[in-house]
Structures are given as C-alpha cells and as structure tokens.
C-alpha cells in the first residue's frame, strides 16, 4: 500500500501498513491504521504561560529538512504535508519551505514557524538559527538538530530559554530474542491518559518497527521554561519533557507523525496545536457513523434493521453509496461479467430510500469502487477493489490524469442525480487515490469524508535511489477546512469492527476506547463506520449487537451525534 523507506542513519525504521480494505466475501480486510498510519520513519499539564487568543487565521511557515541527493530527501516534506493538513483545521494555509532555502528575516512575516527536524544533523542555515534566537514570533521545533543552537556557545541558548538539551535517547538496549522489549521513552501522558508509541520486534529477523529516538531536555529556570507534556520510560522509571515551552519557543521531543493512530501521541499534538497557535476552540465532542460499501447487492433487511435502530435513537447517519456495481470478471456471477447501473439496482434504491426518510444522508463512495477488468487488490468487484490506484503495482493507474479522475467523479454524481440522489460528500475507495485524483476532487465535491493518502509527488517514484517519494496516510480528529490537496475533510478516526482472525480482530470495545482517547482533543470527533453485511446470517457474528454496543458506548462518553453535512 504505502512504500516503506530505508533505514535511517540512526536506525529509525518505517513500517508498511495498508490502508483500509475489506470486502463482502471476507477475502480482504479494511485494516484501519489502528496504531499507526504512516509508512515511513518514523500529556498531563497545560501551559504555565498564558495564551493570547488568535482572532484572525494564523499565518504559518513550515520549514522542513529536504537535503537534495539523499535517499530520504522527501521525508521532511512528507511530515510537513501532514502538519500543513492539521494547520488547515485553523484556517491556516501554511507555506512549505526546504530548510536550505530559508532566508534571513522570513519568519517575521508569519505568526508561527514550525521546523520539522526529520533528518539527523541536517546543516541548518545560520540565518534560520539566528532568527530562531531573536524572533518574538512563535517557533515550534520538532525532534532533531536542536543541538545546533543548544550546543553552540555563541547563542547562549540555555541562558535565554531556561532549558538545556542533553542529547538523543533511543532504545535502552538492543532488543534480542531473550530481551525483545528493552524499552524506551514510549509513554506520553496527557489529560489523564497514556499514549504509547508503537513498537514491535521480530526476534527471527532482528527487525524493529519503532521510532524510539527522543530529544532529551531539562528545565533549568522554571521562570522561563516549563514542561507542557511529559514522556516516560517505563522500563527505567525515567521521565522527560515531551513538549516543552519557553516563551515563544516550543520543543517537541520526537516526530509525532511517525506511526500515528487513534491512541498515539499524535493526538496530543493535534490538541496542543490550539495552544501553540493561540487559537481558542470551545470544548465540543461530536460523533458520526457511516454505513460502508453499500452497493447493488446490499441486504435490504440488514439496512432496514440498522436504519430502524438509529431512527429510534434519533441518530443521523451516512450511507457510503457505490453508484454503479461492476463484477468485471464474473467472480460472483458464474464467470460472466456483470454491470448493474443504479437504475437497475432495486435492492440498493429500496434500502437507501427507506433510510433517507429516517435521518440518512448519501456519501458517494467511488463510482464503481473497482478498476477496469482486473483484480486490483482482490476480485475486480465493486466494494472489493481500489478504483483510483493500482494497488498491485503500487502506482497510479495507467489512465491517471485530472481529466480521467474528474470524469469518473462526475459520472458517479450524474448516475446518482438521475436516480434522485444528492451526495453530501465524497469518500475515496479504500481511502487511497493518486495525487491527481485528490487534487481534482474539490472540483466535484465540497467535502470529503475519510482518511487520506498524501504523496510527495504527483507521479510518485517510490523506487528511485535518491529523492525517494513517499505516500503517507493520515487520520484527523477534527474537521480540516483545507488540506494539502485543497479538500475540506470531515473525519473518520476510530476505525471499524472486524471479525477476521487471520489478519486481525477489531472489537466494538476497541472503537469505543478510541473514542475515549479522542476526547483529549478539545474539539475532537468520534467517527466510525460499519459494514451492513455483518448482519447477514451467513457470517455468524454478533454484528448487530456489536453495532448497538458501539453506538451506546460512544453516546455514554458524552458525544453528540451529528449528520456529516453538519460537521463543523
């Protein structure tokens, strides 16, 4: 799905994890980025200093490590894109700038400058370092290279900011088969919850999936610096600052965009961004639910059962509707290819029409939710396969272009409209589309409702020796008013119930726990989806009961259910 990256010079390692995918025949799962969604490398006290509320949209600059001629030249850009997306929640259209292109005084034109320290010992321009030391504007520094200021006596860093930088800490020891979990600073405490960074070790191969590096700082003068969020090393009992602030300077001790997930320290950053920017958002927690992969072969009985339940609870909901059903290879039709236009999809229209009078809204979920006459990931059947990405080759499809993508988007809208349906949002099949497709989506839809894959190039080359491109998946805890591709995004951040045992199990309790963690974000959503086919007797699973438990669990956490069209 995503392209994994090579080892970093400090042995930081990326893990490849696919985006969501599941089908009706149970041959493929929707793996919802439970504990991370990025495939590359990789909180308790609030601020002591007062925050001045930002009244206008903040103007922001993202300076990222992008040293040309290296095999990770796009790493910093990928992280910068992810931060830019989050800043879109605050109406900020951030400028992205490679560190080597920074010129003296530039940060003075911005309310806040973020430096993405993604590349170890990347030489930073003197103009940038000097401006960090002298500006009165907000500066947020992530992870690496703070030592270029803190250890240079010419800057008198500790005297000015009241804290010191002692160095990097990684694993407590090298993991072995006998000691597979030696530990590191992996537990970030925030608002009474512990956000544990992802870690796995394969004893047979010696391969570690983790981002253990942490920049260790110490407060020297509490009148100048304070720990905003702590991080613990459970194996040693040590504690260190995870987010530290001294006046206008913030330091984040790692890169919270590596291995993100619904219970990761990434959520801590999404909330603390309010304070970094001085933007006041009232405490508000809303919930959304979406019925997924609803196409021509949907069970009317299952849809009616779910609809009646939510109607009785006065819960609005969305239906991810696939306008045109295609079984390109005849997998479910005796090896005879089958296409069912919406005009002939009696079951689908019966189920949707019933739901629309009971609080439902339509979301367009692809045009056919499959690609051409091939098995693009699974069967070639609508709901099973990717539509806007060649998942077999991990590349854009052969026809990929703005015109081709827009043509499919408009064809789907036309098919819906000719049958009396108006979608309130778009959802990309399996959340995975080419950069060109994502860029044209706002021309057809005002809103997308999903997670998103972002690329560091429109035509990514994942296999180049240098200048490697990245595809990164990102989840959002709140509405993004404008992302890197110009999309307005309403979130799906909790995942979905799964019963597969060969490739994972995700219970209703997992979904509710994710919702509990999402409440640390002051305006965080609890948004999940559910496949109606889990109600079908052939699967022999407690789908309906688990769906009800999920709804009740999220409601009991204090969330208010809203329609997708009302998300703010």
């Amino acid at each position: 799905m995503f392209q994994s990256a090579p080892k970093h010079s400090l042995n930081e390692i990326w893990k490849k994890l696919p985006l969501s995918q599941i089908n009706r025949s149970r041959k493929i799962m929707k793996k919802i980025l439970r504990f991370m969604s990025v495939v590359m490398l990789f909180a308790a006290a609030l601020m002591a200093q007062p925050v001045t509320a930002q009244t206008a949209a903040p103007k922001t600059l993202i300076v990222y490590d992008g040293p040309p001629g290296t095999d990770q030249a796009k790493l910093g850009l990928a992280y910068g894109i992810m931060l830019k997306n989050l800043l879109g929640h605050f109406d900020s259209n951030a400028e992205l700038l490679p560190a080597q292109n920074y010129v003296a005084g530039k940060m003075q034109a911005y309310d806040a400058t973020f430096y993405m320290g993604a590349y170890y010992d990347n030489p930073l321009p003197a103009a940038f370092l000097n401006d960090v030391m002298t500006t009165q504007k907000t500066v947020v520094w992530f992870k690496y290279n703070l030592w270029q200021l803190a250890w240079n006596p010419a800057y008198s860093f500790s005297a000015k900011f009241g804290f010191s930088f002692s160095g990097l800490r990684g694993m407590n020891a090298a993991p072995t088969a006998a000691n597979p979990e030696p530990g590191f600073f992996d537990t970030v405490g925030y608002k009474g919850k512990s956000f544990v960074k992802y870690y796995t070790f394969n004893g047979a191969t010696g391969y570690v999936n983790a981002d253990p590096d942490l920049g260790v700082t110490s407060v020297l003068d509490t009148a100048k610096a304070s720990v905003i969020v702590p991080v613990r090393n459970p194996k040693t009992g040590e504690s260190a600052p995870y987010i530290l602030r001294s006046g206008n300077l913030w330091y984040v001790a790692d890169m919270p965009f590596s291995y993100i997930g619904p219970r990761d320290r990434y959520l801590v950053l999404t909330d603390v961004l309010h304070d970094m920017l001085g933007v006041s958002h009232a405490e508000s927690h809303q919930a959304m639910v979406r019925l997924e992969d609803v196409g021509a072969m949907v069970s009317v009985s299952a849809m009616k059962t779910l609809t009646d339940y939510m109607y009785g609870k006065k819960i609005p909901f969305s239906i991810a509707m696939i306008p045109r059903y295609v079984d390109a290879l005849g997998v479910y039709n005796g090896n005879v290819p089958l296409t069912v236009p919406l005009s002939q999809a009696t079951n689908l229209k019966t189920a949707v029409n019933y739901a629309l009078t009971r609080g439902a809204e339509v979301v367009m979920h692809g045009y056919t939710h499959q690609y051409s006459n091939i098995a693009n990931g699974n069967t070639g059947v609508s709901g099973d396969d990717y539509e806007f990405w060649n998942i077999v080759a991990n590349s854009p499809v052969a026809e990929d272009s703005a015109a081709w993508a827009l043509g499919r988007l408009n064809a789907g809208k036309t098919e819906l409209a000719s049958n009396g349906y108006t979608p309130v949002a778009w959802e990309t099949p399996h959340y995975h589309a080419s950069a060109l497709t994502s860029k044209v989506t706002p021309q057809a839809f005002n809103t997308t409702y999903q997670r998103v894959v972002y690329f560091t190039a429109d035509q990514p080359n994942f296999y180049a020796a240098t200048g490697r491109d990245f595809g990164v998946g990102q989840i959002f805890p709140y509405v993004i008013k404008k992302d890197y591709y110009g999309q307005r995004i309403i979130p799906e951040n909790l995942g979905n119930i799964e019963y597969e045992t060969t490739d994972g199990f995700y219970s209703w309790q997992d979904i509710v726990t994710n919702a509990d963690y999402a409440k640390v974000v002051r305006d965080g959503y609890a948004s999940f989806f559910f496949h109606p086919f889990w109600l079908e007797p052939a699967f022999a699973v407690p789908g309906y009961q688990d769906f009800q438990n999920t709804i009740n669990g999220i409601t009991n956490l204090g969330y208010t259910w809203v329609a997708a069209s009302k998300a703010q």
Side-chain angles (χ1 to χ4, degrees):
M1 317 320 189
F2 300 140
Q3 178 65 28
S4 60
K7 291 184 179 179
H8 187 271
S9 58
L10 291 182
N11 295 319
E12 295 176 311
I13 301 170
W14 292 259
K15 176 178 174 63
K16 182 166 67 176
L17 185 74
L19 274 182
S20 308
Q21 45 185 311
I22 186 171
N23 74 358
R24 197 169 180 276
S25 63
R26 304 181 76 184
K27 293 180 180 177
I28 180 172
M29 288 188 67
K30 273 208 169 188
K31 297 180 180 177
I32 289 293
L33 310 176
R34 297 162 192 169
F35 302 105
M36 65 283 198
S37 71
V38 187
V39 296
M40 50 182 160
L41 219 194
F42 318 114
L46 290 175
M47 296 183 303
Q49 294 97 334
V51 175
T52 301
Q54 182 83 32
T55 54
K59 188 176 180 183
T60 54
L61 173 68
I62 300 172
V63 178
Y64 64 89
D65 289 337
T70 69
D71 62 357
Q72 297 171 31
K74 300 292 183 69
L75 175 60
L77 174 58
Y79 287 146
I81 289 170
M82 298 177 81
L83 176 59
K84 178 181 174 70
N85 293 331
L86 293 180
L87 295 176
H89 176 62
F90 304 92
D91 281 326
S92 181
N93 186 17
E95 179 184 347
L96 289 160
L97 181 72
Q100 65 267 23
N101 293 347
Y102 184 88
V103 295
K106 186 171 180 63
M107 67 178 62
Q108 292 304 113
Y110 299 86
D111 298 304
T113 295
F114 297 81
Y115 167 62
M116 313 301 288
Y119 194 78
Y120 177 78
D121 237 5
N122 184 42
L124 298 175
F128 177 72
L129 297 174
N130 291 336
D131 282 356
V132 171
M133 291 299 300
T134 59
T135 186
Q136 299 301 307
K137 300 296 186 71
T138 296
V139 176
V140 181
W141 191 299
F142 290 92
K143 199 174 184 178
Y144 288 143
N145 306 323
L146 187 64
W147 52 84
Q148 295 182 35
L149 282 176
W151 295 348
N152 188 335
Y155 290 117
S156 300
F157 179 87
S158 294
K160 177 176 175 62
F161 292 112
F163 71 94
S164 63
F165 180 85
S166 59
L168 295 173
R169 283 281 298 274
M171 302 294 297
N172 296 331
T176 64
N179 183 25
E181 298 184 14
F184 59 100
F185 282 92
D186 69 351
T187 304
V188 175
Y190 189 64
K191 293 186 177 180
K193 296 200 180 320
S194 294
F195 296 81
V196 179
K197 295 173 63 173
Y198 183 79
Y199 171 85
T200 63
F201 170 67
N202 186 320
T205 64
Y207 194 78
V208 174
N209 288 315
D211 178 12
D213 275 1
L214 185 89
V216 179
T217 57
S218 298
V219 173
L220 303 176
D221 185 346
T222 56
K224 294 181 178 179
S226 59
V227 178
I228 306 304
V229 180
V231 59
R232 292 188 297 109
N233 187 325
K235 296 287 186 178
T236 66
E238 297 170 281
S239 181
Y242 181 69
I243 299 178
L244 182 150
R245 182 186 182 187
S246 175
N248 65 304
L249 177 65
W250 300 71
Y251 179 65
V252 182
D254 78 349
M255 185 60 69
F257 297 103
S258 64
Y259 294 111
I260 69 175
R263 303 175 203 170
D264 184 75
R265 83 284 194 206
Y266 167 77
L267 283 186
V268 177
L269 174 67
T270 64
D271 189 55
V272 177
L273 277 174
H274 293 83
D275 304 315
M276 292 171 170
L277 295 171
V279 174
S280 178
H281 285 171
E283 192 82 17
S284 172
H285 298 292
Q286 298 181 320
M288 295 188 298
V289 57
R290 186 178 72 224
L291 302 184
E292 194 79 342
D293 292 335
V294 179
M297 303 304 168
V298 71
S299 164
V300 175
S301 174
M303 285 290 292
K304 282 189 173 182
T305 297
L306 294 168
T307 294
D308 287 342
Y309 172 74
M310 286 185 281
Y311 183 60
K313 291 271 190 178
K314 295 183 172 59
I315 293 175
F317 61 100
S318 300
I319 299 173
M321 192 171 175
I322 304 169
R324 177 165 291 227
Y325 176 87
V326 176
D327 182 350
L329 304 175
V331 172
Y332 302 133
N333 194 46
N335 296 320
V336 177
L338 174 67
T339 296
V340 182
L342 185 54
S343 60
Q344 299 174 18
T346 303
N347 280 8
L348 176 58
K349 291 197 291 185
T350 298
V352 172
N353 291 343
Y354 184 82
L356 288 177
T357 62
R358 292 163 175 81
E361 296 178 333
V362 169
V363 172
M364 184 170 135
H365 190 23
Y367 176 33
T368 64
H369 202 316
Q370 56 80 236
Y371 168 69
S372 188
N373 60 348
I374 66 172
N376 187 28
N378 192 31
T379 63
V381 179
S382 292
D384 291 3
D385 281 10
Y386 294 76
E387 183 173 355
F388 295 94
W389 187 257
N390 185 333
I391 197 62
V392 178
N394 192 25
S395 68
V397 300
E399 303 91 334
D400 187 51
S401 68
W404 176 81
L406 190 58
R408 292 191 72 82
L409 294 172
N410 286 331
K413 287 182 67 178
T414 297
E415 189 142 353
L416 288 173
S418 64
N419 287 272
Y421 303 110
T422 302
V424 300
W426 161 259
E427 182 197 351
T428 302
H430 297 323
Y431 297 155
H432 203 149
S434 71
L436 294 177
T437 296
S438 295
K439 283 184 175 181
V440 302
T441 297
Q443 296 181 36
F445 292 89
N446 294 327
T447 298
T448 62
Y449 181 5
Q450 60 185 53
R451 306 179 181 200
V452 185
V453 180
Y454 297 92
F455 298 98
T456 53
D458 285 354
Q459 296 290 335
N461 182 353
F462 291 132
Y463 308 107
T466 60
R468 174 189 294 270
D469 291 307
F470 289 102
V472 296
Q474 190 169 9
I475 59 176
F476 302 107
Y478 37 47
V479 173
I480 304 301
K481 298 176 182 178
K482 185 177 181 181
D483 78 340
Y484 181 63
Y485 292 134
Q487 302 173 112
R488 177 182 180 267
I489 301 170
I490 56 177
E492 180 281 294
N493 60 323
L494 303 185
N496 65 296
I497 295 170
E498 287 298 346
Y499 298 100
E500 298 285 349
T501 58
T502 58
D503 209 6
F505 178 87
Y506 218 44
S507 69
W508 70 265
Q509 292 96 333
D510 290 321
I511 304 298
V512 174
T513 299
N514 290 348
D516 191 29
Y517 273 71
K519 285 194 72 176
V520 304
V521 183
R522 64 200 69 182
D523 50 355
Y525 274 74
S527 178
F528 80 104
F529 64 91
F530 182 82
H531 289 93
F533 57 68
W534 288 130
L535 270 64
E536 296 179 27
F539 288 108
V541 297
Y544 184 44
Q545 183 62 52
D546 288 351
F547 179 80
Q548 295 177 79
N549 288 338
T550 307
I551 293 290
N552 289 332
I554 292 173
T555 301
N556 291 339
L557 288 173
Y559 284 92
T560 300
W561 294 96
V562 296
S565 62
K566 304 298 183 183
Q568 298 291 329

